Amino acid sequence: RKFALDGFEPPELVHDASTYGGYSGGPVFGFDELRVKALHYWGDPRVGNRAISATALQRHEYLGKLLRQAERG
């Protein structure tokens, strides 16, 4: 099975920030800086939370273009 973010290191992160239902798309920040490291998309209190890494999103052929356009305003 192929995914849009295959080949990016790491495409997915596991994080332990508490979330509520409906928080998908919320930013995941790093410990050492106020910089978005990933976007939360799924969580389960038994197995942890999942997020797509910012690096994978920036390197994606289509999403990367959209992010660069948004940065320019």
Side-chain angles (χ1 to χ4, degrees):
R1 185 172 167 191
K2 295 289 283 178
F3 294 95
L5 298 172
D6 282 352
F8 298 114
E9 297 295 331
E12 181 179 80
L13 304 174
V14 176
H15 66 91
D16 63 354
S18 296
T19 60
Y20 291 100
Y23 279 18
S24 291
V28 177
F29 293 96
F31 288 113
D32 57 347
E33 59 185 331
L34 288 177
R35 185 170 180 211
V36 176
K37 299 290 187 175
L39 293 180
H40 171 78
Y41 74 86
W42 181 82
D44 184 308
R46 294 170 293 173
V47 296
N49 296 297
R50 303 273 194 266
I52 298 172
S53 75
T55 302
L57 293 170
Q58 291 166 346
R59 291 179 179 171
H60 188 274
E61 181 180 358
Y62 300 110
L63 297 176
K65 288 178 186 177
L66 292 172
L67 291 170
R68 286 187 290 281
Q69 288 174 356
E71 284 179 345
R72 288 190 294 257

